[in-house]
Amino acid sequence: MWDAFGHILEGERDSKSLGEMASKLCFNTAAKLREDHTDPRVWFAEFSGPNLRWEALGILFTCWTGSLLTLQCDTVPDACPSIRNMNLMSAIKLYKDDAWHCSQFCWNACEGITLLCLLLFKHSILESITSGDAGKDPRPLFCCPLQF
Protein backbone atom coordinates (compact mmCIF):
# COMPACT_ATOMS: atom_id res chain seq x y z
CA MET A 1 0.00 0.00 0.00
CA TRP A 2 2.76 2.44 0.90
CA ASP A 3 4.70 1.59 -2.25
CA ALA A 4 1.72 2.52 -4.39
CA PHE A 5 0.10 5.32 -2.38
CA GLY A 6 2.65 6.49 0.20
CA HIS A 7 3.08 9.80 -1.63
CA ILE A 8 -0.65 10.46 -1.12
CA LEU A 9 -0.97 9.13 2.42
CA GLU A 10 2.02 10.85 3.98
CA GLY A 11 1.54 14.40 5.17
CA GLU A 12 -1.50 16.50 4.34
CA ARG A 13 -4.12 14.78 2.22
CA ASP A 14 -6.31 16.69 -0.17
CA SER A 15 -9.45 15.79 -2.11
CA LYS A 16 -7.68 15.72 -5.46
CA SER A 17 -4.98 13.21 -4.45
CA LEU A 18 -7.43 11.03 -2.49
CA GLY A 19 -9.73 11.09 -5.53
CA GLU A 20 -6.85 9.89 -7.70
CA MET A 21 -6.21 7.09 -5.23
CA ALA A 22 -9.90 6.10 -5.22
CA SER A 23 -9.95 6.12 -9.03
CA LYS A 24 -6.93 3.83 -9.12
CA LEU A 25 -8.54 1.49 -6.58
CA CYS A 26 -11.73 1.40 -8.71
CA PHE A 27 -9.74 0.71 -11.87
CA ASN A 28 -7.84 -2.11 -10.15
CA THR A 29 -11.03 -3.54 -8.64
CA ALA A 30 -12.71 -3.67 -12.04
CA ALA A 31 -9.83 -5.77 -13.43
CA LYS A 32 -10.56 -9.48 -13.43
CA LEU A 33 -8.42 -11.51 -11.03
CA ARG A 34 -7.19 -14.98 -11.80
CA GLU A 35 -8.02 -17.51 -9.12
CA ASP A 36 -5.80 -20.31 -10.45
CA HIS A 37 -2.32 -19.09 -9.48
CA THR A 38 0.28 -21.59 -8.35
CA ASP A 39 2.93 -19.03 -7.34
CA PRO A 40 1.88 -17.16 -4.17
CA ARG A 41 4.04 -14.13 -5.04
CA VAL A 42 2.35 -13.70 -8.41
CA TRP A 43 -1.05 -14.17 -6.78
CA PHE A 44 -0.32 -11.58 -4.05
CA ALA A 45 1.06 -9.07 -6.56
CA GLU A 46 -2.23 -9.19 -8.44
CA PHE A 47 -4.06 -7.33 -5.64
CA SER A 48 -1.33 -5.49 -3.72
CA GLY A 49 1.14 -2.66 -4.30
CA PRO A 50 0.24 -0.75 -7.46
CA ASN A 51 -2.58 -3.29 -8.05
CA LEU A 52 -4.25 -2.63 -4.68
CA ARG A 53 -8.00 -3.20 -4.87
CA TRP A 54 -10.93 -2.18 -2.65
CA GLU A 55 -11.16 -5.77 -1.40
CA ALA A 56 -7.58 -5.73 -0.14
CA LEU A 57 -8.02 -2.32 1.48
CA GLY A 58 -11.20 -3.56 3.18
CA ILE A 59 -9.36 -6.61 4.48
CA LEU A 60 -6.73 -4.26 5.92
CA PHE A 61 -9.50 -2.32 7.68
CA THR A 62 -10.80 -5.57 9.20
CA CYS A 63 -7.30 -6.37 10.45
CA TRP A 64 -6.91 -2.89 11.94
CA THR A 65 -10.34 -3.23 13.60
CA GLY A 66 -9.32 -6.58 15.04
CA SER A 67 -6.16 -5.01 16.43
CA LEU A 68 -8.16 -2.26 18.09
CA LEU A 69 -10.36 -4.91 19.71
CA THR A 70 -7.32 -6.22 21.58
CA LEU A 71 -6.59 -2.88 23.29
CA GLN A 72 -7.57 -1.97 26.81
CA CYS A 73 -10.57 0.28 27.36
CA ASP A 74 -10.04 3.95 26.52
CA THR A 75 -6.74 3.24 24.78
CA VAL A 76 -6.22 4.53 21.27
CA PRO A 77 -2.84 4.34 19.56
CA ASP A 78 -1.18 7.72 19.03
CA ALA A 79 0.52 6.52 15.86
CA CYS A 80 -2.55 6.89 13.66
CA PRO A 81 -3.64 10.49 13.09
CA SER A 82 -7.11 9.53 11.81
CA ILE A 83 -8.15 8.05 15.17
CA ARG A 84 -5.89 9.95 17.57
CA ASN A 85 -8.72 12.09 18.98
CA MET A 86 -11.31 9.29 19.18
CA ASN A 87 -12.27 6.98 21.97
CA LEU A 88 -11.66 3.29 21.35
CA MET A 89 -15.27 2.40 20.54
CA SER A 90 -15.52 5.19 17.94
CA ALA A 91 -12.28 4.08 16.29
CA ILE A 92 -13.51 0.46 16.14
CA LYS A 93 -16.78 1.57 14.57
CA LEU A 94 -14.98 3.81 12.06
CA TYR A 95 -12.65 1.07 10.81
CA LYS A 96 -15.43 -1.55 10.76
CA ASP A 97 -17.61 0.82 8.74
CA ASP A 98 -14.71 1.60 6.39
CA ALA A 99 -14.31 -2.13 5.72
CA TRP A 100 -18.03 -2.31 4.90
CA HIS A 101 -17.77 0.64 2.51
CA CYS A 102 -14.88 -1.07 0.72
CA SER A 103 -17.03 -4.17 0.25
CA GLN A 104 -19.80 -2.05 -1.23
CA PHE A 105 -17.41 -0.41 -3.71
CA CYS A 106 -16.39 -3.93 -4.77
CA TRP A 107 -19.97 -5.10 -5.02
CA ASN A 108 -20.68 -2.31 -7.49
CA ALA A 109 -17.44 -2.56 -9.46
CA CYS A 110 -16.68 -6.21 -10.10
CA GLU A 111 -17.73 -9.81 -10.10
CA GLY A 112 -17.68 -11.54 -6.76
CA ILE A 113 -14.26 -13.06 -6.12
CA THR A 114 -12.61 -14.90 -3.28
CA LEU A 115 -11.12 -11.68 -1.87
CA LEU A 116 -14.59 -10.14 -1.61
CA CYS A 117 -15.87 -13.28 0.10
CA LEU A 118 -13.00 -13.06 2.59
CA LEU A 119 -13.71 -9.37 3.23
CA LEU A 120 -17.41 -10.04 3.85
CA PHE A 121 -16.58 -13.02 6.09
CA LYS A 122 -14.11 -10.99 8.17
CA HIS A 123 -16.57 -8.09 8.41
CA SER A 124 -19.38 -10.40 9.57
CA ILE A 125 -17.13 -11.69 12.37
CA LEU A 126 -16.40 -8.12 13.47
CA GLU A 127 -20.10 -7.31 13.29
CA SER A 128 -20.85 -10.30 15.49
CA ILE A 129 -18.17 -9.34 18.02
CA THR A 130 -19.29 -5.71 18.23
CA SER A 131 -23.06 -6.24 18.05
CA GLY A 132 -23.49 -9.60 19.74
CA ASP A 133 -26.53 -11.83 19.44
CA ALA A 134 -29.62 -9.67 18.93
CA GLY A 135 -31.62 -12.01 21.17
CA LYS A 136 -29.29 -11.78 24.14
CA ASP A 137 -27.32 -9.23 26.11
CA PRO A 138 -25.00 -7.74 23.42
CA ARG A 139 -21.84 -7.71 25.50
CA PRO A 140 -18.74 -8.60 23.54
CA LEU A 141 -16.05 -10.95 24.77
CA PHE A 142 -13.64 -8.21 25.81
CA CYS A 143 -13.46 -5.63 28.57
CA CYS A 144 -15.71 -2.82 27.32
CA PRO A 145 -19.38 -3.00 26.44
CA LEU A 146 -19.72 -1.44 23.02
CA GLN A 147 -22.16 1.39 22.77
CA PHE A 148 -22.43 2.91 19.33
Side-chain angles (χ1 to χ4, degrees):
M1 184 169 165
W2 286 102
D3 289 344
F5 300 110
H7 65 286
I8 293 172
L9 299 174
E10 291 177 345
E12 290 298 315
R13 300 170 187 172
D14 58 50
S15 296
K16 183 178 183 233
S17 61
L18 291 174
E20 290 171 11
M21 180 178 167
S23 293
K24 178 69 171 161
L25 288 168
C26 288
F27 177 79
N28 290 346
T29 301
K32 189 161 179 81
L33 281 181
R34 287 184 38 218
E35 302 259 358
D36 61 346
H37 289 290
T38 56
D39 183 340
R41 282 175 257 166
V42 174
W43 170 74
F44 188 71
E46 199 169 356
F47 59 86
S48 63
N51 297 319
L52 188 69
R53 302 166 59 97
W54 284 114
E55 298 98 322
L57 183 58
I59 290 167
L60 287 172
F61 277 118
T62 65
C63 292
W64 295 329
T65 305
S67 295
L68 289 174
L69 288 169
T70 67
L71 296 177
Q72 295 294 323
C73 294
D74 298 324
T75 304
V76 178
D78 284 337
C80 184
S82 65
I83 61 171
R84 186 173 291 141
N85 296 321
M86 291 185 179
N87 66 41
L88 182 59
M89 298 307 117
S90 296
I92 289 169
K93 181 178 181 342
L94 175 70
Y95 281 175
K96 184 176 65 69
D97 290 349
D98 288 344
W100 177 252
H101 294 303
C102 289
S103 74
Q104 295 308 291
F105 292 143
C106 297
W107 198 262
N108 293 319
C110 71
E111 300 174 14
I113 60 169
T114 306
L115 281 178
L116 179 56
C117 291
L118 177 61
L119 170 55
L120 292 171
F121 174 72
K122 291 174 79 61
H123 185 271
S124 68
I125 290 171
L126 292 172
E127 195 65 48
S128 177
I129 290 169
T130 59
S131 297
D133 182 356
K136 302 193 183 225
D137 185 8
R139 294 192 187 159
L141 300 174
F142 61 100
C143 71
C144 299
L146 293 175
Q147 297 178 0
F148 295 113

